Amino acid sequence: MADMTLTKTPIAEQKPQERIRNFKEVTLGYTAQEAMKEAARCLNCKNKPCTTGCPVNVRIPEFIAKVAEGKFEEAYDIIKSTNALPAVCGRVCPQENQCEGKCVRGIKGEPVGIGRLERFCADYMMDKQKSAERPEPNGHKVAVVGAGPSSLTAAGDLAKQGYEVTIYEAFHTAGGVLMYGIPEFRLPKEIVKKEIKALEDIGVKIMTNMVIGKVLSVDELIEMGNEAVFIGSGAGLPRFMGIEGESLIGVYSANEYLTRINLMKAYKDGYDTPLLKSKSVAVVGGGNVAMDSARSAKRMGAENVYVVYRRSMDELPARKEEVHHAIEEGIEFHVLNNPVRIIGDENDRVSELEVVSMELGEPDESGRRSPIEIKGSEHTIKVDTVIMAIGTSPNPLIKKTTPGLEVNKRGCLVVDEAHSTTKEGVYAGGDAVTGAATVILAMGAGKSAAAQIDKFIKNKNAK
Amino acid sequence: MFKILKKKQLNENVVLFEIQAPFIAAKAEAGQFIIFRVDEFGERIPLTISDYDRQAGTITIVVQTVGASTLKLVKLGVGDCISDVAGPLGVATEYEDGIKKVAVVGGGVGCAIAYPQAKKLFNMGVDVDIIAGFRNKDIVILEDEMKAVSNNLYICTDDGSYGSKGFVTDKLKELIESGNKYDEVVAIGPVVMMKFVSRTTEPYGIKTLVSLNPIMIDGTGMCGGCRVTVGGKIRYACVDGPDFDGHQVDFDELMKRNSTYKEQEAEHICRLTGGKRNG
């Protein structure tokens, strides 16, 4: 009989006053006892709505049943059979919209803490894993562009089937947004490194400092004997608002701010990359990237951190848990405000952000209520730093240098239902196709693209 | 890892390195740059590719010691490795067909970047005048190399200790006034020099190309740290440039933005030269 407690087993967290002074992980994870207790809440439903809500279809009730019995290694193997990066997903997935959003227990009370359990299994096994054996090579080569979540998933799945996979990464470190974007306090980088190491153990080769489109073209990757290419280059091109004052000192894109902190470790002593010292910071936007930037700014010593968002608290696109954490950490939300101008001091450093108040109009076609300016409501917020977190779009570099590759008007690569681009043998997935989305959606795309690439190469060679 | 094959001190503060980087050497063109990271603790810093040898698989970079990272780099010797080198980045310089005569203006270490431009133009059969400016005789670099790829090489020093006395802009103006018909001027050096070269050529309507050097991190267009205003529009120097029309660039803004980390940089050098460093 399942444990019918209506709420999730609580999880230990660092206290807000402590954690705003460090970059250590906020959520500390379940103990074995807590995990087994939470696992006992699962009803083991026959139709498994949770699994259909997971973009990589983790066999959720099956692994949870093992956790309930205390068979953590078996639980982990079940997760790992469909999910290449469980320690990452358990931490950063917006479970409320995915697996946990579909959980039957969520109808009356809280859903089963699926993310927390996945994370527990992955963490439990992190140092116990023997490195997996290398699959028998099948004699076929595939190139993967980018080393973010979609690419890592595709590469892992292909390598398991014996493909010789090489990942080409532009940065000096693999991981994409997992390394440069999501901060240490949400996703420790050691964990990402270990998950990537596990892929290298099964034979995935990673070449860093390789900017595809510059150092090698997609056509050259094919000439080098790769029978297919997967493009998982993400959506890393930041947007600015186009308002006055965006070139002032102290205006950052969230990408730049987070890259300096996470990838270049500007928060740690002994690392060379500098970051401006900020007293008051305005972060423009309401997604996870905005929350990450705001919470990072706080940890870098800013006294006042404001999230400036043009809609209301109800429309914030960030994960609920992150908004909750941000509020606990003293981040102030200036919702229904839209920046109109950034004002600088005599040294061209940001001194104020001018915003206009907004009200919400009727829902638009997409069902979202669009914000409308309230005339004459302009006012200023005193800040010395402004971080723009209003979204990103795919980098045009690969498209520009690859003849035959089509993109839509938002710069996203055009693919068919089989993840094939307009160029034969070239597949794509993740943010490069959808525009900025989530880690798990990118992984789902990488997974199904890998299956299509396998089919494509087998068909081609059968002829 | 990228191995250093050759190191040559060009003057007290400027060092030339030849680095093994076959993938980059295969594709590099004049005007492009690399981003390097000396070691695990290092920052990512852009440097122009000063020369390349496709056969040997090597690229040449010329580094002036201006701060912590360049100081760390010049301490390396032959046989040492640079942790990361990514490139070739940026758009290769494009010249219009049919140009006949070009003045290439280099300032200080900028001459190392002006050199591949002059070489490319010279090999295209264009008449090339090089105007190279230095503070004094002691820091003149690449004189023979520049001489070899130009019809005329004019060296200027601020104090008159070598070549003619004065700024490159004085020499450029003199050459234009004395009847030299330049189809284009290419200016590479400190921002303030590029600004005044652009101001000098503007009244004559001579197209002027500058190679901008804003602060960069990734160098691939994903952060916007290197944004510059050109013709009133925001452009990313790492992917849209680094070359831009000098008559359209907001140089004052660039100089301000380049001073963003002045305080931290000063602090950092103190730490480095003080010998105290983690890792």
Side-chain angles (χ1 to χ4, degrees):
Chain A
M1 179 60 201
D3 176 347
M4 294 311 288
T5 313
L6 288 181
T7 52
K8 287 182 188 175
T9 308
I11 196 160
E13 284 177 354
Q14 268 200 82
K15 294 207 166 43
Q17 1 10 329
E18 279 165 30
R19 70 187 193 229
I20 57 167
R21 291 196 204 95
N22 67 54
F23 272 81
K24 286 188 216 135
E25 197 169 15
V26 167
T27 311
L28 304 171
Y30 277 154
T31 61
Q33 285 80 2
E34 287 165 346
M36 287 168 73
K37 181 169 172 4
E38 180 62 17
R41 293 183 63 230
C42 175
L43 301 176
N44 200 359
C45 310
K46 247 201 196 100
N47 58 349
K48 305 170 181 45
C50 50
T51 296
T52 56
C54 171
V56 295
N57 302 126
V58 169
R59 304 200 302 278
I60 293 166
E62 252 181 80
F63 100 75
I64 291 183
K66 295 293 180 192
V67 176
E69 292 170 36
K71 293 177 180 164
F72 306 135
E73 185 166 354
E74 287 174 43
Y76 178 77
D77 288 340
I78 293 167
I79 301 170
K80 195 76 185 180
S81 69
T82 59
N83 184 348
L85 311 168
V88 172
C89 293
R91 287 175 164 84
V92 306
C93 277
Q95 287 102 1
E96 67 255 35
N97 306 324
Q98 293 173 338
C99 54
E100 293 183 20
K102 296 266 170 72
C103 176
V104 172
R105 295 296 308 267
I107 300 168
K108 229 194 274 172
E110 287 183 352
V112 174
I114 300 167
R116 295 172 177 187
L117 291 172
E118 181 179 43
R119 171 189 163 164
F120 167 77
C121 294
D123 289 358
Y124 179 84
M125 290 304 295
M126 190 63 77
D127 297 310
K128 297 182 185 65
Q129 281 173 72
K130 35 196 186 307
S131 48
E133 272 178 37
R134 278 184 191 221
E136 195 63 31
N138 70 6
H140 300 286
K141 272 168 76 174
V142 177
V144 173
V145 180
S150 71
S151 295
L152 293 173
T153 307
D157 276 19
L158 288 165
K160 274 187 206 157
Q161 295 169 74
Y163 287 94
E164 186 187 333
V165 183
T166 307
I167 297 180
Y168 295 89
E169 163 60 36
F171 264 136
H172 55 262
T173 307
V177 77
L178 307 177
M179 289 305 285
Y180 77 74
I182 304 174
E184 192 81 25
F185 56 79
R186 275 217 291 144
L187 179 64
K189 301 304 150 224
E190 277 311 307
I191 287 171
V192 183
K193 282 184 190 158
K194 279 182 184 156
E195 300 252 34
I196 290 171
K197 169 78 174 40
L199 289 177
E200 289 179 302
D201 286 344
I202 60 165
V204 174
K205 194 173 164 203
I206 299 176
M207 290 186 75
T208 52
N209 296 311
M210 296 293 274
V211 185
I212 299 304
K214 287 287 175 194
V215 71
L216 288 173
S217 67
V218 170
D219 289 299
E220 282 168 319
L221 292 175
I222 294 168
E223 285 160 26
M224 284 159 65
N226 290 296
E227 291 174 62
V229 176
F230 175 77
I231 300 176
S233 49
L237 190 76
R239 266 184 235 141
F240 285 91
M241 294 186 75
I243 57 174
E244 191 187 322
E246 282 186 317
S247 291
L248 289 166
I249 296 171
V251 181
Y252 285 103
S253 72
N255 262 7
E256 178 178 0
Y257 194 74
L258 292 172
T259 299
R260 283 180 180 274
I261 294 174
N262 300 321
L263 184 74
M264 307 310 297
K265 306 209 183 307
Y267 71 93
K268 266 191 179 173
D269 277 345
Y271 285 80
D272 298 342
T273 302
L275 190 77
L276 278 176
K277 288 192 179 73
S278 308
K279 195 163 173 244
S280 298
V281 179
V283 178
V284 181
N288 287 320
V289 175
M291 298 308 128
D292 287 345
S293 304
R295 298 174 68 199
S296 296
K298 193 87 189 180
R299 284 161 172 76
M300 292 302 293
E303 287 165 32
N304 311 300
V305 181
Y306 313 112
V307 168
V308 177
Y309 179 56
R310 61 196 185 123
R311 291 186 164 92
S312 76
M313 289 304 280
D314 294 336
E315 286 86 20
L316 283 172
R319 276 181 79 195
K320 278 207 176 71
E321 189 185 345
E322 307 316 325
V323 176
H324 169 71
H325 280 153
I327 293 169
E328 280 186 338
E329 289 166 12
I331 310 294
E332 290 175 46
F333 285 74
H334 288 238
V335 295
L336 290 166
N337 274 304
N338 202 32
V340 288
R341 172 165 81 110
I342 306 167
I343 302 162
D345 64 13
E346 66 282 1
N347 297 316
D348 279 351
R349 171 92 197 245
V350 173
S351 61
E352 283 174 287
L353 176 68
E354 185 176 318
V355 298
V356 61
S357 300
M358 310 292 277
E359 59 189 352
L360 291 181
E362 291 304 308
D364 62 12
E365 288 155 16
S366 67
R368 288 225 291 187
R369 296 176 65 191
S370 50
I372 306 159
E373 276 184 20
I374 302 173
K375 284 219 161 62
S377 66
E378 286 84 357
H379 56 285
T380 61
I381 310 172
K382 259 186 90 68
V383 290
D384 54 21
T385 305
V386 175
I387 301 169
M388 290 292 177
I390 52 170
T392 53
S393 50
N395 193 312
L397 185 59
I398 287 173
K399 136 84 182 100
K400 264 199 232 162
T401 53
T402 311
L405 206 58
E406 271 177 41
V407 298
N408 66 18
K409 61 176 189 291
R410 293 181 300 131
C412 303
L413 291 169
V414 174
V415 296
D416 61 16
E417 63 285 351
H419 300 276
S420 169
T421 65
T422 48
K423 195 174 170 78
E424 209 202 342
V426 179
Y427 291 75
D431 288 3
V433 170
T434 57
T438 62
V439 167
I440 188 69
L441 284 173
M443 291 179 58
K447 190 165 198 64
S448 78
Q452 296 294 339
I453 288 171
D454 178 48
K455 211 156 98 185
F456 167 76
I457 293 178
K458 284 195 175 128
N459 275 344
K460 202 178 71 169
N461 290 293
K463 274 175 200 163
Chain B
M1 296 295 250
F2 296 79
K3 200 170 176 181
I4 295 169
L5 301 179
K6 189 176 142 190
K7 180 183 182 181
K8 193 174 153 194
Q9 196 87 30
L10 298 184
N11 71 29
E12 200 188 327
N13 281 315
V14 178
V15 177
L16 176 150
F17 286 110
E18 208 174 274
I19 302 163
Q20 197 164 47
F23 281 111
I24 303 173
K27 287 291 174 68
E29 295 286 350
Q32 291 188 297
F33 66 95
I34 53 118
I35 295 259
F36 78 89
R37 191 177 73 131
V38 173
D39 58 28
E40 194 198 332
F41 302 95
E43 24 174 7
R44 293 171 63 94
I45 300 278
L47 274 179
T48 304
I49 300 167
S50 168
D51 211 346
Y52 51 81
D53 184 333
R54 300 212 201 282
Q55 252 86 51
T58 59
I59 58 166
T60 302
I61 52 172
V62 174
V63 195
Q64 179 170 26
T65 316
V66 289
S69 289
T70 44
L71 192 65
K72 267 165 95 169
L73 182 59
V74 300
K75 280 185 178 166
L76 298 182
V78 173
D80 289 339
C81 284
I82 302 171
S83 180
D84 301 283
V85 180
L89 301 171
V91 180
T93 308
E94 281 171 26
Y95 293 106
E96 278 164 43
D97 288 340
I99 48 169
K100 290 191 179 66
K101 194 172 169 74
V102 172
V104 177
V105 186
V109 73
C111 291
I113 311 167
Y115 165 71
Q117 302 291 358
K119 183 172 156 184
K120 181 176 170 179
L121 287 161
F122 193 72
N123 290 338
M124 280 163 64
V126 175
D127 272 2
V128 178
D129 284 356
I130 300 182
I131 307 167
F134 301 93
R135 272 198 325 276
N136 59 54
K137 182 176 192 276
D138 297 339
I139 61 166
V140 173
I141 58 168
L142 300 173
E143 187 176 354
D144 294 338
E145 286 85 348
M146 290 191 289
K147 200 173 267 169
V149 297
S150 60
N151 300 68
N152 299 292
L153 171 66
Y154 304 95
I155 291 184
C156 317
T157 49
D158 297 0
D159 62 0
S161 54
Y162 193 63
S164 50
K165 182 173 160 55
F167 296 129
V168 288
T169 41
D170 304 329
K171 180 52 92 182
L172 178 63
K173 193 158 194 255
E174 182 194 315
L175 288 169
I176 295 169
E177 299 270 277
S178 65
N180 285 286
K181 293 252 179 292
Y182 296 118
D183 299 309
E184 210 167 313
V185 169
V186 180
I188 302 168
V191 181
V192 64
M193 181 214 98
M194 295 192 282
K195 171 183 166 176
F196 284 106
V197 169
S198 301
R199 284 234 180 121
T200 304
T201 56
E202 205 161 14
Y204 302 101
I206 303 171
K207 187 180 166 189
T208 301
L209 203 66
V210 293
S211 177
L212 300 186
N213 50 357
I215 294 170
M216 287 187 189
I217 301 186
D218 60 292
T220 61
M222 63 78 74
C223 86
C226 67
R227 59 195 188 276
V228 288
T229 306
V230 181
K233 286 202 188 96
I234 288 189
R235 308 289 299 275
Y236 291 0
C238 72
V239 286
D240 301 322
D243 295 341
F244 291 100
D245 176 352
H247 298 148
Q248 302 285 323
V249 171
D250 185 338
F251 288 105
D252 295 334
E253 178 189 283
L254 175 59
M255 280 186 267
K256 283 273 188 190
R257 282 185 63 80
N258 277 354
S259 72
T260 302
Y261 298 105
K262 221 164 50 187
E263 276 175 46
Q264 282 96 325
E265 180 66 10
E267 209 178 286
H268 192 165
I269 296 169
C270 287
R271 258 193 287 145
L272 202 63
T273 49
K276 202 169 171 266
R277 215 181 90 80
N278 296 341

